[in-house]
Amino acid sequence: MRKLLLASVAALLPAVALGADAGLQWAYPVAPQGLPQPDPVKTFQAKGTKTGMRLTMAQINNQFGPPDWFPDEHPPMPSIVTNGRAPHVRACMLCHLPHGNGHPESASVSGLTSNYVVEQMHEFRDGNRTNNRAPVMIEMAKDISDAELKEAANYFASIPRDEQKWIKVVEGKTAPKNHVGGGGMRFLDEGTTETVPIAPNMIYEVAADGEGAELRDQHAGFIDFVPQGSIRKGEMLATTGGNGKTVQCAICHGADYRGVGDVPRLAGRGAYYLIRQLNDIKTGARKGSSVALMKAVVEKLSDEDMVNLVAYMASRDP
């Protein structure tokens, strides 16, 4: 099945990793070129769904009507979240999923404040967020209405904490052998028990259920395989500032790193998303008035330091 599905979402992502330095290119993965196309008539179904839906991959990847496999598990969603508005505003749940936790190529927006979500869409609109994931968001941000944006932001802000846990963090010297496939996601290599070493400046964020991830199943989460000892090192940086290397994260993000007011939560968010933000701020791919405060946080951090920080934050409960 995997060979039929890998190409299905590859076209959704640009092929240039803007804002990524050479050491962190792994955090900006893109789908390989020339992946086989899925059978256009074969249908698929998410495990455990009660909807009875069986959909082709074209239907699953419909930018203006992706599937909600478990509609009984969340409040009613605004139409901008479920269907978007053609031609420029894609359905929010296409990438962020109905619970807002998203895939590695997108952000986990669940539980962020409505004001913060609105502010970030304006940052995309105004050219202050420009990495390789940004073009789609920029296109949407320039067309979405204030009312539509507020509806979507209010919905994702309402996602309760017990539904925000999406990432499992596994610390070690090795990770299961894996590869980048459709959608720029990492998948476990099937049929092998081989492993790959985890370098001190590397994280493998891998779909726990590859088929479910490709079906946009909101039950199919991700595993962050992080370097041995990185969580403890990240905790020391976050709590002490590393003897002047950075700033204590709790000052702005709260003692539990779940955010304070419109300052976003860090706890429990995916390592790939978090490290892209640190790197984008450091390289200038993410700007804006609120980001100015983060420059002092990141300017002295090495790639390994950033890996340690995000490993720690991803390991925390949302």
Side-chain angles (χ1 to χ4, degrees):
M1 177 178 176
R2 177 63 43 75
K3 291 181 179 179
L4 295 176
L5 303 185
L6 285 176
S8 56
V9 290
L12 297 182
L13 297 179
V16 180
L18 299 175
D21 67 30
L24 295 176
Q25 286 284 343
W26 52 263
Y28 301 76
V30 295
Q33 298 296 309
L35 293 173
Q37 295 297 311
D39 184 334
V41 298
K42 186 173 182 179
T43 59
F44 305 92
Q45 185 177 74
K47 289 178 287 191
T49 182
K50 299 176 183 178
T51 63
M53 292 190 299
R54 293 195 64 88
L55 303 175
T56 66
M57 288 309 297
Q59 291 172 317
I60 289 166
N61 293 313
N62 178 7
Q63 299 175 16
F64 304 101
D68 179 4
W69 296 107
F70 300 95
D72 59 335
E73 295 183 357
H74 56 77
M77 291 186 285
S79 62
I80 200 67
V81 174
T82 58
N83 296 99
R85 176 171 50 75
H88 300 297
V89 184
R90 304 178 189 189
C92 301
M93 74 175 193
L94 177 74
C95 296
H96 298 289
L97 305 178
H99 51 34
N101 294 319
H103 284 171
E105 82 276 6
S106 62
S108 52
V109 294
S110 58
L112 301 177
T113 68
S114 179
N115 287 340
Y116 181 77
V117 174
V118 170
E119 175 190 85
Q120 293 313 300
M121 286 295 284
H122 290 166
E123 296 289 354
F124 281 113
R125 179 196 65 191
D126 298 340
N128 288 327
R129 297 188 64 168
T130 57
N131 73 21
N132 71 321
R133 302 306 193 243
V136 169
M137 294 301 299
I138 292 169
E139 178 185 3
M140 292 176 60
K142 288 182 176 180
D143 190 44
I144 195 169
S145 71
D146 290 343
E148 290 167 336
L149 176 54
K150 190 64 176 176
E151 278 191 318
N154 287 346
Y155 172 77
F156 289 120
S158 75
I159 304 295
R161 274 183 52 202
D162 61 0
E163 295 179 23
Q164 296 168 19
K165 186 65 175 176
W166 184 235
I167 301 291
K168 177 182 178 181
V169 176
V170 176
E171 189 180 65
K173 296 180 179 179
T174 63
K177 193 174 181 183
N178 59 83
H179 62 277
V180 177
M185 290 186 286
R186 284 191 172 273
F187 299 92
L188 298 174
D189 285 10
E190 297 177 351
T192 181
T193 58
E194 291 183 63
T195 60
V196 292
I198 306 176
N201 63 343
M202 176 70 188
I203 291 174
Y204 293 100
E205 188 161 290
V206 182
D209 173 1
E211 180 177 312
E214 290 177 304
L215 298 184
R216 303 187 184 277
D217 178 352
Q218 59 259 50
H219 286 178
F222 291 81
I223 304 172
D224 282 338
F225 292 96
V226 304
Q228 186 74 41
S230 59
I231 294 175
R232 177 59 179 162
K233 292 175 184 176
E235 181 180 15
M236 293 301 295
L237 278 171
T239 56
T240 70
N243 295 319
K245 181 174 281 191
T246 187
V247 179
Q248 295 174 10
C249 301
I251 293 173
C252 295
H253 296 275
D256 53 11
Y257 310 115
R258 292 177 180 143
V260 177
D262 292 333
V263 178
R265 72 173 173 93
L266 305 176
R269 303 183 80 185
Y272 272 32
Y273 176 76
L274 290 175
I275 203 164
R276 285 199 301 268
Q277 304 321 300
L278 293 179
N279 188 59
D280 287 353
I281 292 167
K282 187 174 182 179
T283 61
R286 182 169 176 178
K287 303 181 288 292
S289 56
S290 60
V291 172
L293 298 173
M294 286 290 297
K295 294 297 287 186
V297 174
V298 300
E299 60 186 359
K300 297 179 183 178
L301 294 178
S302 67
D303 290 353
E304 186 175 336
D305 291 331
M306 289 191 279
V307 163
N308 294 336
L309 270 174
V310 304
Y312 172 61
M313 290 303 174
S315 74
R316 303 276 299 183
D317 286 334

